[in-house]
Amino acid sequence: ELMTGYTMLRNGGVGNGGQPWVLRWSSRIRLTWLSFTLFVILVFFPLIAHYYLTTIDDADDAGKRIFGPRTGNELCEVKHVQDLCRIRESVSEELLQLEAKRQELNSEIAKLNLKIEACKKSIENAKQDLLQLKNVISQTEHSYKELMAQNQPKLSLPIRLLPDKDDAAFPLPKSNRNCRLHNCFDYSRCPLTSGFPVYVYNSDDYPFGSSLDPLIKQAFEATVRTNVYVTENANIACVYIILVGEMQEPVMPKPTELEQQLHSLPYWRTDGHNHLIINLSRKSETQNFIYNISTGRAMIAQSTFYDAQYRPGFDIVVSPLVHAMSEPNFLEIPPQVPVKRKYLFSFQGEKIESLRSSLQEVRSFEEEMEGNAPADYDDRIITTLKAVQDSKLDFVLVEFTCKNQPKASLPTEWALCGERDDRLELLKLSTFALIITPGDTRLVISAGCTMRLFEALEVGAIPVVLGEQVQLPYNDVIRWNEAALIIPKPRITEVHFLLRSISDNDLLAMRRQGRFLWETYFSTSDNVFSTVLAIIRTRIQIPAAPIREEPATEIPHRSGKAAGTDPNMADNGDLDLGPVETEPPYASPKYLRNFTLTAMDIYRNWNSAPGPFHLFPYTPFDPVLPSEAKFLGSGTGFRPIGGGAGGSGKEFQAALGGNVPREQFTVVMLTYEREEVLMNSLERLNGLPYLNKVVVVWNSPKLPSEDLLWPDIGVPIMVVRTEKNSLNNRFLPWDEIETEAILSIDDDAHLRHDEIMFGFRVWREARDRIVGFPGRYHAWDIPHQSWLYNSNYSCELSMVLTGAAFFHKYYAYLYSYVMPQAIRDMVDEYINCEDIAMNFLVSHLTRKPPIKVTSRWTFRCPGCPQALSHDDSHFHERHKCINFFVKVYGYMPLLYTQFRVDSVLFKTRLPHDKTKCFKFI
């Protein structure tokens, strides 16, 4: 059948009519064969392979096994698996270590939790103890206040007395010539707490105002506008002032007319009590027209007085107003050295017996005087002075006849010769200037004499006044024997001997005092008017108004950054800096003697020289009375302030001690656009004991960066904005400075805390001095005949740099408001020399050198940006400053010293090639 099928297939599957069947059968055979083949492959081939493999693995040669199970060591023999094994082993070890650490940390956490619980309990106990201590402190303070209230009665301000506008019941003296404060002055209008209000009439509102000298009137009005005592409320005024002179002669009113106009003043009150009539003189020929006027109880201030007219302790002799609308030019004033000049003394004048005088009008002066005319010594004076000139023992110049027409003068008065500039040139060549008082001794002072006195003081010629009866300007408050020689006329033959016997030191002291008097009381209209008011205020014992402070405009800034601790600042060795005070900043106590000044204090302060003490009713360096006591807060009671802790060094270090055991200081730091340097310097102040606050004087018109974060150093930081970039801003008396002690420091200064504290302790022992660290000195340049500034290392010094120095706030007022403006202008011009100016000022006032502490010669921080002092022109400008300041002061006020204060705990480090200086410990 197969063959048959095959045959049929070869024949095409057709034949005998059965071709379709053959095709179906052939297809079926193919499928069967294919299925069988796949079955054999899928079933028998895996079985055969499995058998073969298991047969190989069971072979006796174990080394020929390929697919059997292997041990771990055998697997690690494969190179790429070995690395994985090592990683596995390392991870396992680390896991074991971490597990051990975890268990250890859990143990420590458990222990710390126990400690936290214990600390919480301790804190609760401490809070209870603190609350108890606060209660004890509160009770102690209450007991202290009660005890102080028992010992010091509580004072309240007195009730303000305002008398009626028209007070006709005021008792009259027997004569106006007998007027004194007790019977011609109404004290009820001037209470102690009134502040001394002064009302000034407007002269233009009255007919005589048109007759006043325009320059005098203009200068007077300008001064009135700026005076702190002047008020516009006449109802509360203590004193009423009216300006009546200097009059211009062609339009001068008659005495009767002027008298009527004065009596018609709205607040004259029938007799003019509490009124001051001012008659200023700008020329030597000013007439005494007020003599012929009834002034009632009004005080008179002028330059010419007769004995019958002058009422001591009531009227005021004023200086002439030469510089009416101009400031004196200090560069034209001759220096005070050399002490002796070309002429020993000089005098120019002419005596004219018959000149028109206002004394001859209306009343006759001779009719009011009794007794014979005094002896006239003028002939003897002329003869003696000519003999001295002819002897040629000394160069003197005396002329009793004017080359040109003499100035108008009063009878028996020596008239001035020539013009003012010519007279000044002669006085610049004269050691002494003779001033011969009028021959009529009943003329106690004249405008001509005051003019001679003014010119002599201005150029440094020591006045020699012949005539002890004279009443010099402001004589009841100025000690004239310290600046002038007042000799009776009968001693004219001894004058030459007396003048030659005065030593150079005494001559220089008198000349310096005369220069001080001229600058303070004579030189300008402001000085003249302020002095007149100060005399009246002092007579009626009213304290002076406090001098103004500079208002500080604060720049808002963000703070809060915790200040770090500089290891160099914290390393103080064995020195205990004292307790870091946690209480609020403590301001220096205000002066408490304003209402208890004695006559001795007033007289002393007016005559302390050199120094403009008329602006201040006291000196800030008065010691505390030993009888005063203060509660210390520690211990059980009181002790005198003057007693220090004493004892061992540790006790000394832990307490400030001294007469003021509780005191702080203020840091004033000047900066200009160096924010990083400033922040570092502020951070170094963190933890500084006895620091009250820090005043940062921002001297740049550009404000600090808004994102700048200021450090928190435990005390307030006040950032003050200035009106202009000026180094004088360093010494402005900012109202934010509430302590007497000021530490002036540059923003790049690098001082340790122990050095600052030592300087503070030294300053407290010498409060009137500048106490600083870097010392400098001045030297005379012989080839160029000028002064030089020197910063070389030396054992001698005359200045300390105020970039790191302590000084009293009192000097900030004097520097900013009293020191000549020309000095501050030069500081602004050079942007330099402010420290030299402060050293000049303090040495001029105290006649003492500054005090240098420690062996430091520089204080700049390492790595800081360069400052102005690194400029090549810096030293050349300082040379110019010193020479200019000498011209302004008229002499060199700086004093040399070899004194230096070191603590026994400081170690002096000097280079081997430097000469060692003596230390005063």
Side-chain angles (χ1 to χ4, degrees):
E1 292 178 0
L2 292 171
M3 291 300 296
T4 303
Y6 178 71
T7 303
M8 293 177 64
L9 185 61
R10 293 187 61 184
N11 293 330
V14 179
N16 302 323
Q19 289 181 354
W21 180 87
V22 173
L23 292 173
R24 290 191 300 269
W25 183 82
S26 177
S27 299
R28 197 174 292 172
I29 293 236
R30 290 175 183 166
L31 290 174
T32 303
W33 176 255
L34 181 60
S35 300
F36 178 77
T37 303
L38 291 174
F39 177 79
V40 170
I41 293 172
L42 294 177
V43 175
F44 291 100
F45 183 78
L47 294 175
I48 294 172
H50 176 70
Y51 173 79
Y52 177 78
L53 292 175
T54 55
T55 303
I56 293 178
D57 291 338
D58 292 337
D60 295 334
D61 191 359
K64 295 180 181 181
R65 288 182 294 180
I66 301 175
F67 299 103
R70 298 175 183 271
T71 64
N73 293 334
E74 291 176 341
L75 290 175
C76 292
E77 292 178 358
V78 182
K79 186 176 181 180
H80 68 278
V81 179
Q82 291 177 354
D83 295 337
L84 297 177
C85 292
R86 285 193 297 270
I87 293 173
R88 185 187 65 181
E89 294 174 356
S90 176
V91 170
S92 298
E93 292 178 358
E94 290 180 359
L95 290 176
L96 293 176
Q97 293 175 0
L98 289 175
E99 179 63 22
K101 289 183 178 179
R102 187 183 67 81
Q103 295 177 359
E104 182 180 356
L105 290 176
N106 287 336
S107 177
E108 292 181 359
I109 289 173
K111 294 178 181 179
L112 291 176
N113 287 332
L114 295 177
K115 291 182 179 180
I116 290 174
E117 295 297 330
C119 290
K120 288 182 178 179
K121 294 181 181 179
S122 300
I123 290 174
E124 292 297 330
N125 296 332
K127 287 182 178 179
Q128 295 296 329
D129 296 340
L130 179 60
L131 182 60
Q132 294 179 0
L133 289 175
K134 287 183 177 179
N135 293 333
V136 172
I137 292 175
S138 178
Q139 293 176 3
T140 305
E141 290 179 349
H142 183 70
S143 301
Y144 169 69
K145 292 179 180 179
E146 289 182 350
L147 186 59
M148 293 297 294
Q150 294 176 4
N151 296 330
Q152 296 180 358
K154 184 180 295 185
L155 297 179
S156 59
L157 293 178
I159 300 175
R160 176 65 182 257
L161 299 178
L162 288 178
D164 296 335
K165 183 177 180 180
D166 298 322
D167 187 7
F170 198 63
L172 295 173
K174 295 181 179 180
S175 172
N176 291 335
R177 291 180 54 187
N178 297 327
C179 261
R180 300 296 185 268
L181 289 176
H182 69 274
N183 57 5
C184 287
F185 191 85
D186 185 4
Y187 279 91
S188 64
R189 300 200 63 86
C190 307
L192 289 175
T193 58
S194 62
F196 191 61
V198 175
Y199 179 80
V200 180
Y201 292 99
N202 186 1
S203 300
D204 292 334
D205 295 340
Y206 305 97
F208 64 84
S210 59
S211 303
L212 295 176
D213 184 301
L215 289 179
I216 293 287
K217 183 168 63 174
Q218 186 178 357
F220 183 77
E221 292 174 350
T223 299
V224 166
R225 285 193 297 267
T226 59
N227 194 276
V228 296
Y229 297 107
V230 174
T231 178
E232 296 181 357
N233 188 356
N235 295 324
I236 66 170
C238 169
V239 175
Y240 301 84
I241 297 178
I242 182 66
L243 177 68
V244 299
E246 179 175 65
M247 292 282 187
Q248 294 177 313
E249 289 195 6
V251 291
M252 182 183 300
K254 295 181 179 180
T256 54
E257 296 176 355
L258 181 59
E259 180 177 318
Q260 293 176 358
Q261 295 174 22
L262 290 177
H263 291 180
S264 64
L265 293 175
Y267 304 100
W268 186 260
R269 298 187 180 93
T270 69
D271 58 4
H273 62 271
N274 290 47
H275 275 65
L276 174 65
I277 301 174
I278 297 182
N279 179 23
L280 298 176
S281 60
R282 195 168 60 89
K283 298 173 290 186
S284 61
E285 58 268 23
T286 301
Q287 300 298 314
N288 185 13
F289 59 88
I290 296 182
Y291 177 78
N292 298 308
I293 295 175
S294 175
T295 57
R297 287 193 175 101
M299 295 174 286
I300 300 175
Q302 62 179 9
S303 300
T304 302
F305 279 103
Y306 275 89
D307 182 52
Q309 177 190 16
Y310 181 68
R311 297 164 291 185
F314 194 75
D315 295 326
I316 302 174
V317 180
V318 299
S319 59
L321 191 60
V322 178
H323 301 286
M325 292 301 297
S326 62
E327 294 288 335
N329 188 354
F330 291 100
L331 298 181
E332 296 180 357
I333 300 175
Q336 299 183 28
V337 290
V339 176
K340 294 182 178 178
R341 299 175 177 177
K342 178 179 179 180
Y343 299 111
L344 177 63
F345 62 82
S346 64
F347 177 81
Q348 286 182 326
E350 184 172 344
K351 187 175 181 181
I352 303 176
E353 297 293 340
S354 56
L355 288 175
R356 184 184 65 82
S357 172
S358 61
L359 295 176
Q360 299 173 353
E361 299 179 3
V362 181
R363 297 190 181 98
S364 174
F365 176 76
E366 287 75 9
E367 294 177 357
E368 299 186 5
M369 301 301 299
E370 297 178 357
N372 298 325
D376 192 352
Y377 290 95
D378 288 353
D379 293 339
R380 186 186 304 178
I381 292 175
I382 295 174
T383 304
T384 304
L385 295 181
K386 285 186 175 180
V388 174
Q389 184 178 24
D390 295 338
S391 67
K392 300 187 184 300
L393 294 176
D394 290 292
F395 285 105
V396 298
L397 178 61
V398 291
E399 296 178 353
F400 301 104
T401 303
C402 295
K403 298 178 181 178
N404 300 319
Q405 182 68 24
K407 303 294 182 180
S409 62
L410 296 175
T412 74
E413 181 185 17
W414 287 91
L416 293 171
C417 295
E419 299 298 328
R420 167 176 158 81
D421 292 339
D422 297 332
R423 298 194 300 270
L424 292 180
E425 289 300 322
L426 175 60
L427 292 175
K428 291 178 182 179
L429 302 176
S430 306
T431 305
F432 296 95
L434 296 184
I435 301 175
I436 305 176
T437 59
D440 189 350
T441 57
R442 294 166 297 190
L443 183 60
V444 294
I445 190 64
S446 65
C449 287
T450 57
M451 184 64 69
R452 290 181 183 271
L453 179 66
F454 180 95
E455 294 176 352
L457 295 176
E458 181 178 7
V459 297
I462 300 174
V464 180
V465 182
L466 297 179
E468 78 284 1
Q469 82 284 352
V470 69
Q471 298 289 336
L472 296 180
Y474 322 123
N475 62 323
D476 54 344
V477 292
I478 292 181
R479 193 176 298 167
W480 277 106
N481 58 358
E482 295 180 354
L485 295 175
I486 303 177
I487 305 173
K489 288 184 177 181
R491 294 190 179 276
I492 183 59
T493 57
E494 302 172 328
V495 168
H496 185 208
F497 168 80
L498 179 61
L499 298 185
R500 293 193 63 181
S501 65
I502 301 177
S503 65
D504 290 352
N505 289 336
D506 292 339
L507 289 176
L508 183 59
M510 296 181 69
R511 182 174 294 164
R512 186 166 54 244
Q513 176 69 1
R515 173 71 174 271
F516 155 71
L517 295 177
W518 179 79
E519 289 182 0
T520 308
Y521 308 118
F522 289 68
S523 57
T524 64
S525 58
D526 286 341
N527 291 342
V528 172
F529 186 65
S530 298
T531 303
V532 170
L533 294 185
I535 290 177
I536 299 176
R537 178 185 51 76
T538 304
R539 287 175 176 175
I540 61 178
Q541 301 176 353
I542 294 182
I547 192 170
R548 70 181 181 92
E549 293 188 303
E550 195 70 20
T553 303
E554 184 178 7
I555 299 177
H557 60 280
R558 293 191 305 149
S559 61
K561 181 178 68 173
T565 302
D566 191 336
N568 294 326
M569 299 295 103
D571 184 15
N572 299 312
D574 298 331
L575 181 60
D576 185 1
L577 300 183
V580 178
E581 301 186 5
T582 57
E583 64 181 10
Y586 173 73
S588 297
K590 302 297 182 182
Y591 194 74
L592 303 177
R593 298 180 60 213
N594 289 338
F595 297 101
T596 58
L597 290 176
T598 63
M600 178 184 65
D601 293 328
I602 296 173
Y603 192 75
R604 179 192 62 192
N605 292 325
W606 271 84
N607 293 278
S608 298
F613 291 107
H614 74 289
L615 297 177
F616 309 92
Y618 61 91
T619 168
F621 313 116
D622 290 338
V624 179
L625 294 179
S627 60
E628 297 181 9
K630 181 176 180 180
F631 182 67
L632 297 181
S634 61
T636 59
F638 298 85
R639 74 165 187 182
I641 286 182
S648 65
K650 183 177 181 180
E651 293 175 354
F652 168 76
Q653 297 166 16
L656 203 57
N659 294 325
V660 187
R662 190 184 184 199
E663 187 172 18
Q664 296 178 343
F665 62 90
T666 302
V667 168
V668 176
M669 186 177 294
L670 188 72
T671 186
Y672 186 91
E673 296 185 1
R674 296 199 294 183
E675 295 180 352
E676 183 178 357
V677 175
L678 174 63
M679 296 301 107
N680 293 334
S681 296
L682 292 176
E683 289 186 3
R684 285 195 292 269
L685 299 177
N686 184 34
L688 180 61
Y690 306 111
L691 178 60
N692 181 271
K693 71 172 60 171
V694 178
V695 177
V696 178
V697 181
W698 192 264
N699 222 23
S700 171
K702 180 181 178 182
L703 296 180
S705 303
E706 295 183 358
D707 57 349
L708 182 63
L709 194 60
W710 295 71
D712 183 4
I713 61 175
V715 297
I717 297 179
M718 172 68 67
V719 186
V720 177
R721 185 176 186 176
T722 58
E723 296 181 356
K724 64 176 182 178
N725 177 21
S726 171
L727 294 180
N728 293 316
N729 296 331
R730 178 195 299 273
F731 301 125
L732 283 174
W734 302 104
D735 56 3
E736 289 295 330
I737 302 176
E738 299 177 328
T739 61
E740 295 182 4
I742 296 177
L743 172 57
S744 174
I745 190 169
D746 287 342
D747 57 0
D748 57 355
H750 195 82
L751 295 175
R752 300 195 309 270
H753 287 187
D754 57 328
E755 294 175 318
I756 295 176
M757 285 309 306
F758 181 66
F760 182 48
R761 288 180 180 272
V762 173
W763 176 85
R764 296 179 73 252
E765 302 292 336
R767 307 172 73 87
D768 60 338
R769 314 270 284 275
I770 301 178
V771 176
F773 297 88
R776 300 293 186 264
Y777 66 96
H778 66 288
W780 180 250
D781 183 12
I782 297 178
H784 299 89
Q785 294 294 294
S786 62
W787 293 101
L788 296 177
Y789 171 85
N790 203 313
S791 63
N792 296 331
Y793 290 88
S794 172
C795 295
E796 196 169 49
L797 61 103
S798 59
M799 296 174 281
V800 292
L801 300 184
T802 56
F806 285 92
F807 63 91
H808 200 286
K809 188 181 179 181
Y810 177 74
Y811 294 125
Y813 296 107
L814 299 184
Y815 183 98
S816 302
Y817 304 140
V818 179
M819 188 180 69
Q821 180 64 37
I823 296 179
R824 295 190 293 273
D825 291 341
M826 190 167 195
V827 171
D828 287 337
E829 178 182 354
Y830 285 154
I831 317 180
N832 199 344
C833 307
E834 84 286 356
D835 48 355
I836 301 178
M838 177 59 82
N839 278 272
F840 265 69
L841 174 66
V842 177
S843 295
H844 171 64
L845 295 175
T846 63
R847 302 308 302 136
K848 297 177 184 178
I851 296 179
K852 172 177 168 53
V853 293
T854 76
S855 59
R856 274 184 175 267
W857 206 258
T858 183
F859 55 85
R860 301 296 181 188
C861 62
C864 289
Q866 281 195 348
L868 295 174
S869 58
H870 292 85
D871 193 357
D872 294 338
S873 61
H874 176 74
F875 284 94
H876 298 288
E877 293 173 350
R878 293 174 85 82
H879 299 329
K880 296 179 182 177
C881 287
I882 285 185
N883 288 280
F884 178 79
F885 296 166
V886 169
K887 290 182 180 179
V888 173
Y889 282 97
Y891 74 110
M892 169 54 75
L894 298 179
L895 299 173
Y896 292 107
T897 181
Q898 296 181 0
F899 182 83
R900 192 185 84 202
V901 183
D902 283 351
S903 171
V904 293
L905 299 177
F906 278 86
K907 295 180 180 179
T908 303
R909 300 177 180 88
L910 289 177
H912 295 291
D913 57 339
K914 302 296 181 182
T915 303
K916 293 186 177 181
C917 306
F918 289 100
K919 290 192 301 178
F920 296 86
I921 299 176

